Amino acid sequence: MLISRRKLLRTGAASILAPSIARSALADQVSRGPKTLRAVMQSDLRSFDPVWTTAYITGCHAALIYDTLFGIDEQMRPQPQMVGRTSISEDRLTYTFELREGLTFSDGAPVTSTDCIASMRRWATRDTAGQLLFKYVSDTPRKDDRTFQIVLRERYGLVLETLGKTSNSLWIMRAKEAETDPNQQITEFVGSGPFVFNLGATKVGSSYVYDKSERYRARDGVPSGTTGGKVARLDRVVWENLSDEQTAVAALQAGEVDFYETPPIELLPQLESDRNVHVEVLNKTGNLGFVRLNWLHPPFNNQKAREAMLYLVNQIDIMKATFGDPKYYRSCASIMGCGTNMESAENTDWFKHGQDLKKAAELFKEAGYDGRPVVILQATTLAMPNMAAQLIAQWLRQAGVNAELAPSDWGGVVARRAVMSPPDQGGWNIFITWNPTSTFASPILFPGHLANGKKGFFGWPDNEAHEAFRMAWTKAETLEDRQGIARQMQRNAWNFIPHVLAGQWVAPVAWRSNVRGFIPIPDLIAFWNVDKV
């Protein structure tokens, strides 16, 4: 019997905890003000350093207190943010950036070229896209207090896109912090953004407090994505760490919190029926699940076995079992994600064919499958990977494959997926995870696009043509050129098959109806422009 998180939660949904419980949980928190917004985020904030960790929650923290040189607008185009003027040399090897006038840190010190260069260099030592950019950088000279350059050895097509990207962004901090060893966490948090991190009022593990920065100078213009005017309309933002979903829902409905990032799908009808609560999808392209196959050991070291998985996995069945309501999910055949500017229909006859367990069985036979166990890592604490693992095991058995589930929490999956040994020696054959769909559109942001063998992402696919396409994509200087290369990548990828897609979904957020101004941004929740009426 398939046991889903949805079924477990449904049993308790009718008896939502009383508002008094939520009120009690918040009793010791910072006093409420008319312009204080209380938010329940997806997880606790464990690290405050957005260079040291790539954790999503730390990125949202950084978006409150830091700003960026460039941002990405709603059309996914890079736009200047802290930069006021950009010039590019005729040979496209020298980029000159001049900061806007009047930029200051929250301690009142001016933002200078020195701070920007130090922030950029620290970030580039750890960020994958930053590392790739800096392979082409010969120097980053400071010209004056507000002007600096990036000088390239050879032309690179993604300079501005990399500086402005939303996932693991380049946040500008003081040189004092930016000169910290990137393998050590910073200990001071003086930002360049619209809010100030109030460490004195923060209770680590319980609540995190951000106050409006009176020194921040917003850019002119309408906010769009991470660009435009980042105006702090709230006096204070407080993140409440409420791990129990039902308590968080009760707190939202009682008005004890104003925003809930991850309301469970099962309880959305209850929130949607509450006239005091607004439910909306902010990340329009959502998330894309994928089934990673281990290339190092049988059967998936054989291309025919990997091809069998294309005909075995039914995305809609996985999505339906996990999320229930079809308005929140869809199937997707594009290796660059659906709804992105790189989406393609190249080489997707397998997708149009649909699930075919008989054909999958024939392909496993062609691959020489010998009956040995195929080990599937089952993350029992995460709904989609848990359901996908159970269904894939069932489908494999129907196709004549000896499927074996290896259940553990997500931490156990993370540890075991790094093991390169054979499955009977602690390794694995299949694991399931997901990434924001927006990252799939970039061969340098999504780690699953790597096809450089043991140097790459877990599963370790190896395909020279794919790697060549990835590098060509980074050097292309127009959107049209990159789209053409993306089509070639997909045509090749669905032949060698680095992984199989598991379905695409969106996750609504919820907030009180007297709150306005949340901006749709992939990979971030932004609190600038938000107001309480």
Side-chain angles (χ1 to χ4, degrees):
M1 176 182 177
L2 297 177
I3 301 177
S4 72
R5 176 173 165 277
R6 186 173 75 254
K7 290 178 181 177
L8 291 172
L9 279 176
R10 187 183 295 140
T11 62
S15 58
I16 285 294
L17 300 181
S20 60
I21 296 178
R23 193 173 296 115
S24 174
L26 304 177
D28 294 331
Q29 306 303 341
V30 183
S31 61
R32 177 182 302 276
K35 289 291 186 177
T36 295
L37 183 136
R38 295 174 180 273
V40 178
M41 304 298 284
Q42 68 165 240
S43 64
D44 189 22
L45 180 61
R46 301 294 180 87
S47 171
F48 307 141
D49 185 346
V51 172
W52 185 82
T53 181
T54 60
Y56 162 83
I57 189 66
T58 304
C60 292
H61 155 85
L64 278 159
I65 67 173
Y66 300 110
D67 207 349
T68 56
L69 297 175
F70 286 79
I72 302 295
D73 67 17
E74 291 177 1
Q75 286 72 47
M76 303 306 292
R77 300 171 302 193
Q79 303 288 355
Q81 190 58 29
M82 297 178 79
V83 168
R85 183 180 303 169
T86 302
S87 62
I88 305 172
S89 63
E90 189 174 343
D91 61 6
R92 302 191 71 82
L93 294 178
T94 301
Y95 288 70
T96 302
F97 306 105
E98 181 183 320
L99 296 173
R100 290 190 285 122
E101 290 186 8
L103 298 180
T104 62
F105 290 104
S106 58
D107 65 352
V111 178
T112 70
S113 298
T114 301
D115 301 306
C116 297
I117 293 167
S119 296
M120 183 167 55
R121 285 193 167 274
R122 182 172 187 258
W123 160 83
T125 62
R126 292 184 65 106
D127 180 76
T128 303
Q131 290 170 352
L132 184 56
L133 167 61
F134 267 67
K135 287 182 179 180
Y136 299 93
V137 173
S138 63
D139 197 8
T140 55
R142 174 188 178 278
K143 308 306 289 183
D144 58 41
D145 280 351
R146 288 175 46 213
T147 309
F148 64 99
Q149 294 178 323
I150 292 178
V151 182
L152 303 176
R153 296 186 183 90
E154 59 179 281
R155 288 166 69 148
Y156 184 68
L158 297 175
V159 174
L160 303 185
E161 288 83 354
T162 302
L163 298 181
K165 69 189 182 75
T166 306
S167 177
N168 304 327
S169 302
L170 166 54
W171 305 106
I172 300 303
M173 55 186 67
R174 298 183 305 182
K176 179 181 178 182
E177 284 78 58
E179 289 167 357
T180 303
D181 182 337
N183 296 309
Q184 302 293 324
Q185 296 194 60
I186 61 174
T187 57
E188 293 187 69
F189 315 101
V190 177
S192 54
F195 290 88
V196 178
F197 185 32
N198 188 335
L199 198 54
T202 289
K203 298 179 181 179
V204 175
S206 178
S207 63
Y208 303 85
V209 181
Y210 304 86
D211 293 327
K212 178 179 180 179
S213 174
E214 299 298 339
R215 293 190 169 102
Y216 178 71
R217 181 175 177 180
R219 189 180 187 91
D220 292 336
V222 176
S224 175
T226 55
T227 68
K230 297 180 178 179
V231 178
R233 304 186 188 280
L234 299 164
D235 295 328
R236 171 168 283 186
V237 175
V238 182
W239 288 359
E240 305 283 8
N241 187 23
L242 297 180
S243 57
D244 183 82
E245 293 173 328
Q246 294 188 10
T247 300
V249 167
L252 180 67
Q253 291 193 277
E256 296 293 335
V257 298
D258 305 289
F259 174 85
Y260 185 14
E261 185 182 1
T262 55
I265 296 288
E266 298 78 11
L267 301 183
L268 286 176
Q270 175 177 322
L271 293 176
E272 290 170 335
S273 67
D274 187 335
R275 62 186 179 85
N276 295 311
V277 175
H278 177 80
V279 177
E280 184 176 329
V281 173
L282 290 179
N283 183 356
K284 305 300 183 184
T285 56
N287 303 296
L288 185 54
F290 59 107
V291 181
R292 202 67 174 173
L293 310 173
N294 192 332
W295 279 49
L296 302 183
H297 308 291
F300 300 118
N301 61 346
N302 187 288
Q303 188 271 339
K304 287 294 182 181
R306 299 194 299 272
E307 185 180 349
M309 295 297 288
L310 293 178
Y311 294 95
L312 184 129
V313 172
N314 185 320
Q315 297 182 27
I316 292 299
D317 281 358
I318 293 172
M319 294 291 98
K320 183 177 181 180
T322 306
F323 301 110
D325 193 333
K327 71 181 179 181
Y328 296 122
Y329 63 77
R330 61 174 292 180
S331 58
C332 178
S334 175
I335 202 161
M336 311 297 280
C338 292
T340 73
N341 59 7
M342 294 292 147
E343 180 179 359
S344 169
E346 289 287 332
N347 195 10
T348 54
D349 286 347
W350 57 272
F351 181 75
K352 298 168 187 173
H353 182 94
Q355 186 182 48
D356 188 336
L357 299 180
K358 181 179 179 181
K359 185 173 181 64
E362 293 171 353
L363 287 165
F364 274 116
K365 185 175 180 180
E366 289 181 44
Y369 173 65
D370 58 6
R372 72 183 68 194
V374 170
V375 176
I376 307 167
L377 304 186
Q378 178 189 6
T380 57
T381 53
L382 295 176
M384 191 283 293
N386 181 30
M387 290 307 307
Q390 295 178 70
L391 287 168
I392 289 169
Q394 176 181 301
W395 294 327
L396 283 169
R397 290 168 188 146
Q398 290 176 259
V401 175
N402 181 13
E404 180 180 294
L405 288 168
S408 71
D409 62 14
W410 177 244
V413 171
V414 168
R416 189 166 175 178
R417 71 180 182 177
V419 176
M420 293 186 179
S421 303
D424 60 357
Q425 298 176 32
W428 57 278
N429 296 110
I430 295 171
F431 86 90
I432 303 102
T433 186
W434 75 88
N435 248 50
T437 305
S438 60
T439 65
F440 280 77
S442 169
I444 63 172
L445 292 184
F446 174 52
H449 282 315
L450 290 168
N452 55 349
K454 292 183 179 180
K455 295 179 182 178
F457 190 64
F458 313 106
W460 308 287
D462 193 344
N463 187 271
E464 290 184 7
H466 190 79
E467 283 297 289
F469 285 133
R470 282 203 322 119
M471 291 303 101
W473 191 91
T474 66
K475 294 183 179 182
E477 294 179 354
T478 69
L479 174 62
E480 292 74 18
D481 287 345
R482 285 195 287 273
Q483 289 172 328
I485 295 168
R487 290 192 290 271
Q488 292 177 288
M489 284 183 66
Q490 178 160 307
R491 191 179 307 122
N492 179 58
W494 288 140
N495 289 330
F496 77 87
I497 311 164
H499 49 251
V500 176
L501 300 180
Q504 188 168 327
W505 70 96
V506 295
V509 301
W511 60 80
R512 299 286 296 178
S513 57
N514 66 328
V515 175
R516 304 279 191 276
F518 278 102
I519 302 169
I521 302 174
D523 313 326
L524 280 179
I525 296 294
F527 290 91
W528 62 78
N529 199 53
V530 176
D531 201 359
K532 281 181 72 173
V533 180

